[in-house]
Amino acid sequence: MAKLSLGALLPGGSARKPVLLLALGSFALGTDSFVISGVLPELGDGLGVSLGTAGLLITVFSAVYAVGAPVLAVATGRVSRRKVLIGSLTVFVLANLLAAVAVGYPLMMAARVIAALSAAVYMPAATAAAAAVSAPEERGRALSAVLGGLTVANALGVPLGTLVGQSAGWRGTFALVAVIGAIALAGILRTLDDIPSPGVASLRQRVAVAKVRGVPSTLLATALAMCGVFVLFGYLAWFFDRAAGVHGGMLTVIYLISGVAAVVSNLAAGWMIDHMPPTRVAAISMGGLTVASLGMALMAGLIGPGIGAAIALAAGLAAWSLIGWLFNPAQQQRLLAAAGPRGPIALSLNSSAIYAGQAVAGVLGGLALGGGPAALALVAAGCVAVAVVLLGVSHVRTRPAGPPATSESPAGAAGTSGPAVAAK
Protein backbone atom coordinates (compact mmCIF):
# COMPACT_ATOMS: atom_id res chain seq x y z
CA MET A 1 0.00 0.00 0.00
CA ALA A 2 1.42 3.38 -0.99
CA LYS A 3 2.16 5.72 1.88
CA LEU A 4 0.54 9.15 1.95
CA SER A 5 3.41 11.61 1.60
CA LEU A 6 3.84 15.35 1.37
CA GLY A 7 4.91 14.91 -2.23
CA ALA A 8 1.54 13.38 -3.08
CA LEU A 9 -0.29 16.44 -1.77
CA LEU A 10 2.03 19.30 -2.78
CA PRO A 11 4.06 20.32 -5.81
CA GLY A 12 7.78 19.61 -5.58
CA GLY A 13 10.96 21.56 -6.04
CA SER A 14 11.04 25.32 -5.63
CA ALA A 15 7.23 25.55 -5.77
CA ARG A 16 6.63 23.71 -2.49
CA LYS A 17 7.48 26.47 0.00
CA PRO A 18 5.57 29.29 -1.71
CA VAL A 19 2.51 27.06 -2.19
CA LEU A 20 2.57 26.07 1.49
CA LEU A 21 2.78 29.74 2.48
CA LEU A 22 -0.02 30.68 0.10
CA ALA A 23 -2.09 27.92 1.71
CA LEU A 24 -1.24 29.33 5.14
CA GLY A 25 -2.56 32.68 3.96
CA SER A 26 -5.83 31.10 2.83
CA PHE A 27 -5.99 29.29 6.19
CA ALA A 28 -5.73 32.65 7.96
CA LEU A 29 -8.45 34.16 5.74
CA GLY A 30 -10.73 31.15 6.18
CA THR A 31 -10.31 31.23 9.94
CA ASP A 32 -11.11 34.94 9.96
CA SER A 33 -14.27 34.37 7.91
CA PHE A 34 -15.72 31.62 10.12
CA VAL A 35 -14.29 32.08 13.61
CA ILE A 36 -16.42 35.08 14.53
CA SER A 37 -19.31 32.65 15.01
CA GLY A 38 -17.56 31.08 18.00
CA VAL A 39 -17.01 34.38 19.84
CA LEU A 40 -20.05 36.34 18.65
CA PRO A 41 -21.91 36.46 22.01
CA GLU A 42 -18.79 37.61 23.87
CA LEU A 43 -17.95 40.11 21.13
CA GLY A 44 -21.43 41.62 21.33
CA ASP A 45 -21.15 41.96 25.12
CA GLY A 46 -17.69 43.48 24.82
CA LEU A 47 -18.83 46.09 22.31
CA GLY A 48 -22.08 46.80 24.14
CA VAL A 49 -24.42 45.71 21.33
CA SER A 50 -27.08 43.02 21.01
CA LEU A 51 -26.29 39.63 19.49
CA GLY A 52 -28.32 40.47 16.40
CA THR A 53 -26.38 43.71 15.92
CA ALA A 54 -23.10 41.84 16.39
CA GLY A 55 -24.29 39.36 13.75
CA LEU A 56 -24.37 42.19 11.24
CA LEU A 57 -20.57 41.98 11.27
CA ILE A 58 -21.01 38.65 9.44
CA THR A 59 -23.43 40.27 6.99
CA VAL A 60 -21.16 43.20 6.20
CA PHE A 61 -18.03 41.06 5.82
CA SER A 62 -19.80 38.67 3.45
CA ALA A 63 -21.59 41.38 1.46
CA VAL A 64 -18.38 43.35 0.96
CA TYR A 65 -16.59 40.18 -0.18
CA ALA A 66 -19.40 39.22 -2.57
CA VAL A 67 -19.46 42.63 -4.27
CA GLY A 68 -15.79 43.46 -3.90
CA ALA A 69 -14.28 40.23 -5.25
CA PRO A 70 -15.19 40.72 -8.94
CA VAL A 71 -14.65 44.48 -8.88
CA LEU A 72 -11.26 44.29 -7.18
CA ALA A 73 -10.17 41.39 -9.39
CA VAL A 74 -10.65 43.65 -12.41
CA ALA A 75 -9.08 46.66 -10.69
CA THR A 76 -5.91 44.73 -9.79
CA GLY A 77 -5.87 42.63 -12.95
CA ARG A 78 -2.73 44.22 -14.40
CA VAL A 79 -0.69 44.22 -11.17
CA SER A 80 1.86 41.45 -10.53
CA ARG A 81 0.52 38.67 -8.32
CA ARG A 82 3.38 39.09 -5.80
CA LYS A 83 2.53 42.75 -5.22
CA VAL A 84 -1.17 41.95 -4.91
CA LEU A 85 -0.52 39.15 -2.41
CA ILE A 86 1.83 41.22 -0.27
CA GLY A 87 -0.46 44.24 -0.30
CA SER A 88 -3.63 42.28 0.49
CA LEU A 89 -2.03 40.25 3.31
CA THR A 90 -0.51 43.39 4.83
CA VAL A 91 -3.93 45.05 4.89
CA PHE A 92 -5.50 41.84 6.22
CA VAL A 93 -3.08 41.67 9.16
CA LEU A 94 -3.63 45.35 10.00
CA ALA A 95 -7.41 44.91 9.79
CA ASN A 96 -7.34 42.07 12.32
CA LEU A 97 -5.06 44.01 14.63
CA LEU A 98 -7.57 46.86 14.41
CA ALA A 99 -10.37 44.42 15.29
CA ALA A 100 -8.35 43.16 18.26
CA VAL A 101 -8.12 46.67 19.76
CA ALA A 102 -11.48 48.04 18.58
CA VAL A 103 -13.10 50.05 21.38
CA GLY A 104 -16.50 50.42 19.75
CA TYR A 105 -18.85 48.84 17.25
CA PRO A 106 -18.20 51.35 14.41
CA LEU A 107 -14.45 50.70 14.55
CA MET A 108 -15.03 46.95 14.56
CA MET A 109 -17.33 47.30 11.57
CA ALA A 110 -14.64 49.24 9.72
CA ALA A 111 -12.09 46.54 10.56
CA ARG A 112 -14.37 43.82 9.14
CA VAL A 113 -14.95 45.78 5.93
CA ILE A 114 -11.20 46.21 5.42
CA ALA A 115 -10.57 42.51 6.18
CA ALA A 116 -13.23 41.48 3.66
CA LEU A 117 -11.74 43.65 0.93
CA SER A 118 -8.26 42.26 1.51
CA ALA A 119 -9.58 38.67 1.51
CA ALA A 120 -11.44 39.31 -1.75
CA VAL A 121 -8.16 40.45 -3.34
CA TYR A 122 -5.97 37.69 -1.87
CA MET A 123 -7.76 34.49 -2.86
CA PRO A 124 -7.82 34.91 -6.69
CA ALA A 125 -4.21 36.12 -6.63
CA ALA A 126 -3.14 33.17 -4.45
CA THR A 127 -4.62 30.57 -6.77
CA ALA A 128 -3.10 32.29 -9.82
CA ALA A 129 0.33 32.44 -8.13
CA ALA A 130 0.16 28.78 -7.05
CA ALA A 131 -0.58 27.73 -10.63
CA ALA A 132 2.20 29.95 -12.01
CA VAL A 133 5.00 28.65 -9.77
CA SER A 134 4.12 24.96 -10.24
CA ALA A 135 4.95 22.64 -13.09
CA PRO A 136 1.97 21.97 -15.40
CA GLU A 137 1.59 18.40 -14.17
CA GLU A 138 1.51 19.59 -10.52
CA ARG A 139 -0.87 22.54 -10.80
CA GLY A 140 -3.81 20.50 -9.58
CA ARG A 141 -1.96 19.76 -6.34
CA ALA A 142 -0.96 23.39 -5.97
CA LEU A 143 -4.52 24.67 -6.37
CA SER A 144 -5.90 21.99 -4.06
CA ALA A 145 -3.37 22.97 -1.40
CA VAL A 146 -4.25 26.68 -1.52
CA LEU A 147 -7.99 26.04 -1.54
CA GLY A 148 -7.52 23.32 1.06
CA GLY A 149 -6.37 26.01 3.46
CA LEU A 150 -9.98 27.14 3.64
CA THR A 151 -11.18 23.62 4.47
CA VAL A 152 -8.51 23.16 7.15
CA ALA A 153 -9.51 26.54 8.59
CA ASN A 154 -13.01 25.23 9.13
CA ALA A 155 -11.74 22.01 10.74
CA LEU A 156 -8.89 23.39 12.88
CA GLY A 157 -8.68 27.17 12.65
CA VAL A 158 -12.20 27.84 13.90
CA PRO A 159 -11.99 25.48 16.91
CA LEU A 160 -8.55 26.92 17.78
CA GLY A 161 -9.79 30.50 17.43
CA THR A 162 -12.86 29.66 19.51
CA LEU A 163 -10.69 28.10 22.23
CA VAL A 164 -8.49 31.21 22.33
CA GLY A 165 -11.57 33.43 22.41
CA GLN A 166 -13.18 31.52 25.26
CA SER A 167 -9.99 31.46 27.34
CA ALA A 168 -8.32 34.79 26.51
CA GLY A 169 -11.24 36.85 25.21
CA TRP A 170 -12.49 37.59 21.71
CA ARG A 171 -9.71 40.13 21.12
CA GLY A 172 -7.24 37.27 21.40
CA THR A 173 -9.01 35.50 18.53
CA PHE A 174 -8.42 38.36 16.12
CA ALA A 175 -4.85 38.74 17.36
CA LEU A 176 -4.28 35.04 16.61
CA VAL A 177 -5.58 35.47 13.05
CA ALA A 178 -3.31 38.50 12.59
CA VAL A 179 -0.28 36.48 13.74
CA ILE A 180 -1.04 33.64 11.32
CA GLY A 181 -1.48 36.14 8.49
CA ALA A 182 1.80 37.85 9.41
CA ILE A 183 3.69 34.54 9.29
CA ALA A 184 2.28 33.84 5.82
CA LEU A 185 3.18 37.38 4.72
CA ALA A 186 6.78 37.10 5.95
CA GLY A 187 7.18 33.78 4.17
CA ILE A 188 5.76 35.02 0.89
CA LEU A 189 8.04 38.06 1.00
CA ARG A 190 11.06 35.74 1.21
CA THR A 191 10.09 32.90 -1.12
CA LEU A 192 7.81 34.20 -3.87
CA ASP A 193 9.34 35.78 -6.97
CA ASP A 194 7.60 38.36 -9.09
CA ILE A 195 4.72 36.85 -11.10
CA PRO A 196 3.08 38.79 -13.95
CA SER A 197 -0.69 38.89 -13.94
CA PRO A 198 -2.30 36.21 -16.15
CA GLY A 199 -5.17 38.60 -16.88
CA VAL A 200 -8.72 38.51 -15.55
CA ALA A 201 -12.21 38.56 -16.99
CA SER A 202 -13.79 41.98 -17.31
CA LEU A 203 -16.98 42.96 -15.51
CA ARG A 204 -18.80 42.86 -18.84
CA GLN A 205 -17.69 39.26 -19.39
CA ARG A 206 -18.82 38.30 -15.91
CA VAL A 207 -22.24 39.85 -16.45
CA ALA A 208 -22.54 38.01 -19.78
CA VAL A 209 -21.84 34.66 -18.11
CA ALA A 210 -24.37 35.45 -15.37
CA LYS A 211 -27.03 35.55 -18.09
CA VAL A 212 -26.24 32.13 -19.59
CA ARG A 213 -29.19 29.76 -19.46
CA GLY A 214 -29.27 27.88 -16.17
CA VAL A 215 -26.51 29.90 -14.50
CA PRO A 216 -28.71 32.43 -12.62
CA SER A 217 -30.96 29.79 -11.06
CA THR A 218 -27.96 27.66 -10.12
CA LEU A 219 -26.23 30.62 -8.46
CA LEU A 220 -29.40 31.59 -6.62
CA ALA A 221 -29.88 28.02 -5.37
CA THR A 222 -26.31 28.03 -4.05
CA ALA A 223 -26.82 31.40 -2.36
CA LEU A 224 -30.02 30.23 -0.63
CA ALA A 225 -28.52 26.92 0.48
CA MET A 226 -25.49 28.74 1.87
CA CYS A 227 -27.86 31.17 3.58
CA GLY A 228 -29.52 28.21 5.29
CA VAL A 229 -26.14 26.89 6.42
CA PHE A 230 -24.97 30.19 7.88
CA VAL A 231 -28.25 31.16 9.53
CA LEU A 232 -27.41 28.34 11.94
CA PHE A 233 -23.61 28.30 11.76
CA GLY A 234 -23.26 32.05 12.24
CA TYR A 235 -25.09 31.84 15.58
CA LEU A 236 -23.97 28.32 16.49
CA ALA A 237 -22.42 29.34 19.84
CA TRP A 238 -25.66 31.05 20.89
CA PHE A 239 -27.73 28.10 19.60
CA PHE A 240 -25.84 25.51 21.67
CA ASP A 241 -25.80 27.72 24.73
CA ARG A 242 -29.57 28.28 24.66
CA ALA A 243 -30.60 24.82 23.48
CA ALA A 244 -28.17 22.63 25.43
CA GLY A 245 -26.34 24.83 27.91
CA VAL A 246 -23.01 24.37 26.09
CA HIS A 247 -20.68 27.33 26.49
CA GLY A 248 -17.11 28.26 27.34
CA GLY A 249 -14.37 25.83 26.41
CA MET A 250 -16.88 23.10 25.44
CA LEU A 251 -17.79 25.16 22.39
CA THR A 252 -14.40 24.22 20.98
CA VAL A 253 -15.55 20.60 20.84
CA ILE A 254 -18.73 21.63 19.02
CA TYR A 255 -16.80 23.54 16.36
CA LEU A 256 -14.29 20.70 16.04
CA ILE A 257 -17.12 18.24 15.38
CA SER A 258 -18.58 20.56 12.76
CA GLY A 259 -15.23 21.20 11.10
CA VAL A 260 -14.09 17.58 10.88
CA ALA A 261 -17.49 16.52 9.51
CA ALA A 262 -17.26 19.30 6.91
CA VAL A 263 -13.85 18.06 5.73
CA VAL A 264 -15.18 14.49 5.42
CA SER A 265 -18.19 15.85 3.53
CA ASN A 266 -15.96 17.74 1.10
CA LEU A 267 -13.90 14.61 0.40
CA ALA A 268 -17.04 12.52 -0.04
CA ALA A 269 -18.45 15.05 -2.49
CA GLY A 270 -15.63 14.38 -4.95
CA TRP A 271 -16.29 10.63 -4.89
CA MET A 272 -20.05 11.07 -5.23
CA ILE A 273 -19.72 13.44 -8.17
CA ASP A 274 -17.52 10.87 -9.92
CA HIS A 275 -20.21 8.21 -9.51
CA MET A 276 -23.51 10.05 -10.00
CA PRO A 277 -24.84 13.19 -11.69
CA PRO A 278 -23.98 16.40 -9.81
CA THR A 279 -27.64 17.43 -9.74
CA ARG A 280 -28.46 14.30 -7.78
CA VAL A 281 -25.62 14.99 -5.33
CA ALA A 282 -26.84 18.57 -4.85
CA ALA A 283 -30.42 17.35 -4.33
CA ILE A 284 -29.31 14.76 -1.75
CA SER A 285 -27.31 17.41 0.07
CA MET A 286 -29.92 20.17 0.06
CA GLY A 287 -32.77 17.79 0.87
CA GLY A 288 -30.78 16.17 3.66
CA LEU A 289 -29.73 19.58 4.98
CA THR A 290 -33.39 20.62 5.17
CA VAL A 291 -34.28 17.48 7.13
CA ALA A 292 -31.24 17.83 9.42
CA SER A 293 -32.10 21.47 10.16
CA LEU A 294 -35.68 20.47 10.98
CA GLY A 295 -34.30 17.77 13.27
CA MET A 296 -32.10 20.32 15.05
CA ALA A 297 -35.15 22.56 15.49
CA LEU A 298 -37.18 19.66 16.91
CA MET A 299 -34.46 18.68 19.40
CA ALA A 300 -33.94 22.30 20.44
CA GLY A 301 -37.68 22.68 21.07
CA LEU A 302 -38.32 19.42 22.91
CA ILE A 303 -35.15 18.70 24.89
CA GLY A 304 -34.20 20.99 27.76
CA PRO A 305 -30.61 22.12 28.35
CA GLY A 306 -28.38 19.41 29.78
CA ILE A 307 -25.96 16.65 28.88
CA GLY A 308 -28.63 14.74 26.93
CA ALA A 309 -29.43 17.74 24.78
CA ALA A 310 -25.73 18.45 24.26
CA ILE A 311 -25.03 14.91 23.02
CA ALA A 312 -28.15 14.77 20.83
CA LEU A 313 -27.49 18.16 19.24
CA ALA A 314 -23.79 17.39 18.73
CA ALA A 315 -24.77 14.22 16.87
CA GLY A 316 -27.31 16.20 14.88
CA LEU A 317 -24.66 18.79 14.06
CA ALA A 318 -22.30 16.09 12.79
CA ALA A 319 -25.01 14.77 10.46
CA TRP A 320 -25.90 18.33 9.44
CA SER A 321 -22.28 19.07 8.52
CA LEU A 322 -21.73 15.75 6.76
CA ILE A 323 -24.68 16.25 4.45
CA GLY A 324 -24.61 20.02 4.28
CA TRP A 325 -21.24 20.62 2.62
CA LEU A 326 -21.82 18.27 -0.32
CA PHE A 327 -23.82 20.69 -2.44
CA ASN A 328 -21.18 23.32 -3.23
CA PRO A 329 -18.78 21.07 -5.22
CA ALA A 330 -21.78 19.61 -7.02
CA GLN A 331 -23.13 23.07 -7.87
CA GLN A 332 -19.73 24.06 -9.21
CA GLN A 333 -19.78 21.05 -11.51
CA ARG A 334 -23.18 22.09 -12.75
CA LEU A 335 -21.97 25.64 -13.41
CA LEU A 336 -19.02 24.32 -15.40
CA ALA A 337 -21.41 22.32 -17.57
CA ALA A 338 -23.87 25.21 -18.03
CA ALA A 339 -21.24 27.84 -18.84
CA GLY A 340 -19.08 25.67 -21.10
CA PRO A 341 -15.79 27.36 -22.07
CA ARG A 342 -16.65 30.23 -19.75
CA GLY A 343 -16.82 27.90 -16.76
CA PRO A 344 -13.97 29.54 -14.78
CA ILE A 345 -15.84 32.85 -14.88
CA ALA A 346 -18.98 31.11 -13.66
CA LEU A 347 -16.98 29.69 -10.73
CA SER A 348 -15.89 33.20 -9.74
CA LEU A 349 -19.56 34.19 -9.72
CA ASN A 350 -20.25 31.17 -7.52
CA SER A 351 -17.84 32.56 -4.93
CA SER A 352 -19.83 35.81 -4.85
CA ALA A 353 -23.08 33.82 -4.56
CA ILE A 354 -21.70 31.96 -1.54
CA TYR A 355 -20.84 35.17 0.27
CA ALA A 356 -24.10 36.81 -0.74
CA GLY A 357 -25.93 33.92 0.94
CA GLN A 358 -23.84 34.38 4.07
CA ALA A 359 -24.63 38.09 4.09
CA VAL A 360 -28.38 37.45 4.02
CA ALA A 361 -27.95 34.76 6.69
CA GLY A 362 -26.52 37.28 9.15
CA VAL A 363 -29.68 39.37 8.89
CA LEU A 364 -32.19 36.50 8.89
CA GLY A 365 -30.45 34.79 11.78
CA GLY A 366 -30.45 37.99 13.81
CA LEU A 367 -34.18 38.42 13.23
CA ALA A 368 -34.88 34.81 14.24
CA LEU A 369 -33.05 35.03 17.59
CA GLY A 370 -36.14 36.36 19.36
CA GLY A 371 -37.98 33.11 18.65
CA GLY A 372 -35.35 30.98 20.37
CA PRO A 373 -33.00 28.28 19.07
CA ALA A 374 -35.76 26.20 17.48
CA ALA A 375 -36.89 29.18 15.40
CA LEU A 376 -33.33 29.77 14.22
CA ALA A 377 -33.05 26.20 12.93
CA LEU A 378 -36.50 26.45 11.29
CA VAL A 379 -35.44 29.57 9.37
CA ALA A 380 -32.33 27.71 8.23
CA ALA A 381 -34.48 24.81 7.03
CA GLY A 382 -36.79 27.19 5.16
CA CYS A 383 -33.92 28.78 3.23
CA VAL A 384 -32.58 25.42 2.08
CA ALA A 385 -36.08 24.18 1.18
CA VAL A 386 -36.46 27.11 -1.23
CA ALA A 387 -32.99 26.26 -2.60
CA VAL A 388 -34.23 22.74 -3.38
CA VAL A 389 -37.05 24.23 -5.48
CA LEU A 390 -34.59 26.44 -7.33
CA LEU A 391 -32.33 23.44 -7.88
CA GLY A 392 -35.19 21.77 -9.73
CA VAL A 393 -35.73 24.90 -11.82
CA SER A 394 -32.05 25.14 -12.74
CA HIS A 395 -31.96 21.42 -13.60
CA VAL A 396 -34.85 21.86 -16.04
CA ARG A 397 -33.20 24.91 -17.60
CA THR A 398 -29.83 23.20 -18.08
CA ARG A 399 -31.17 19.81 -19.20
CA PRO A 400 -30.16 19.15 -22.81
CA ALA A 401 -32.88 18.64 -25.40
CA GLY A 402 -33.42 15.18 -26.84
CA PRO A 403 -34.15 11.74 -25.43
CA PRO A 404 -32.55 11.33 -21.97
CA ALA A 405 -31.54 7.75 -22.66
CA THR A 406 -28.51 7.78 -20.37
CA SER A 407 -29.39 10.59 -17.99
CA GLU A 408 -29.73 8.28 -15.01
CA SER A 409 -26.20 6.91 -15.21
CA PRO A 410 -22.96 8.59 -14.26
CA ALA A 411 -21.75 8.10 -17.80
CA GLY A 412 -24.80 9.90 -19.06
CA ALA A 413 -23.83 12.88 -16.96
CA ALA A 414 -20.59 13.41 -18.82
CA GLY A 415 -21.71 16.89 -19.68
CA THR A 416 -21.62 17.78 -16.02
CA SER A 417 -18.33 16.15 -15.21
CA GLY A 418 -15.10 18.01 -14.67
CA PRO A 419 -12.68 19.02 -11.95
CA ALA A 420 -14.23 19.64 -8.56
CA VAL A 421 -13.19 23.10 -7.51
CA ALA A 422 -13.61 24.20 -3.90
CA ALA A 423 -14.47 27.88 -3.97
CA LYS A 424 -14.63 30.18 -0.78
PDB file of all heavy atoms in Angstrom, residues 92 260 315:
ATOM      1  N   PHE A  92      -4.755  42.827   5.445  1.00  0.00           N
ATOM      2  CA  PHE A  92      -5.498  41.841   6.224  1.00  0.00           C
ATOM      3  C   PHE A  92      -4.981  41.777   7.664  1.00  0.00           C
ATOM      4  O   PHE A  92      -5.761  41.771   8.628  1.00  0.00           O
ATOM      5  CB  PHE A  92      -5.380  40.472   5.557  1.00  0.00           C
ATOM      6  CG  PHE A  92      -5.984  39.344   6.342  1.00  0.00           C
ATOM      7  CD1 PHE A  92      -7.355  39.130   6.333  1.00  0.00           C
ATOM      8  CD2 PHE A  92      -5.187  38.491   7.090  1.00  0.00           C
ATOM      9  CE1 PHE A  92      -7.920  38.092   7.067  1.00  0.00           C
ATOM     10  CE2 PHE A  92      -5.733  37.457   7.822  1.00  0.00           C
ATOM     11  CZ  PHE A  92      -7.108  37.259   7.805  1.00  0.00           C
ATOM     12  N   VAL A 260     -14.539  18.890  11.366  1.00  0.00           N
ATOM     13  CA  VAL A 260     -14.090  17.582  10.876  1.00  0.00           C
ATOM     14  C   VAL A 260     -15.142  16.959   9.967  1.00  0.00           C
ATOM     15  O   VAL A 260     -14.824  16.395   8.905  1.00  0.00           O
ATOM     16  CB  VAL A 260     -13.763  16.651  12.058  1.00  0.00           C
ATOM     17  CG1 VAL A 260     -13.507  15.233  11.573  1.00  0.00           C
ATOM     18  CG2 VAL A 260     -12.554  17.173  12.822  1.00  0.00           C
ATOM     19  N   ALA A 315     -24.592  15.249  17.896  1.00  0.00           N
ATOM     20  CA  ALA A 315     -24.766  14.219  16.872  1.00  0.00           C
ATOM     21  C   ALA A 315     -25.532  14.773  15.678  1.00  0.00           C
ATOM     22  O   ALA A 315     -25.205  14.485  14.514  1.00  0.00           O
ATOM     23  CB  ALA A 315     -25.505  13.014  17.469  1.00  0.00           C
TER      24      ALA A 315
END
